[in-house]
Amino acid sequence: MDWYIPDSPPRPGVFNASQYEFRVLSLPASASRNQVRQLLTEEAEYGRWELARTRLYMGGSRKVWLRRKIIKVRSTL
């Protein structure tokens, strides 16, 4: 979608002693609720992201923090 701007690429972070990576999205005031819902649903379904935090600013713009667990694969060789 062209109307949102990711503030940052996924980056590792630590939360509750488990390792997560976070992604921050800035959504403009012009984005409708249905557009935001669709975006977050797609991120959750295809990217395995879950909603960590949402902030609504004066003027209607939103900032959304998404997180997903970092899965470390061990070598079996």
Side-chain angles (χ1 to χ4, degrees):
M1 296 189 177
D2 298 330
W3 48 265
Y4 82 94
I5 304 165
D7 283 348
S8 62
R11 64 181 189 273
V14 177
F15 187 75
N16 286 345
S18 297
Q19 292 206 358
Y20 289 92
E21 60 181 329
F22 290 86
R23 185 172 182 191
V24 182
L25 303 176
S26 290
L27 305 170
S30 62
S32 72
R33 248 184 171 180
N34 284 334
Q35 288 175 322
V36 173
R37 180 189 50 78
Q38 182 182 2
L39 170 70
L40 295 177
T41 301
E42 289 174 0
E43 292 289 339
E45 189 172 335
Y46 300 115
R48 306 267 182 198
W49 293 98
E50 61 183 35
L51 187 62
R53 181 178 179 180
T54 302
R55 186 151 232 198
L56 180 62
Y57 294 100
M58 289 178 63
S61 63
R62 296 179 183 107
K63 199 172 260 194
V64 177
W65 285 261
L66 303 173
R67 72 177 186 179
R68 66 179 171 189
K69 219 170 209 188
I70 297 174
I71 300 171
K72 295 185 180 181
V73 179
R74 293 183 184 174
S75 177
T76 59
L77 299 177

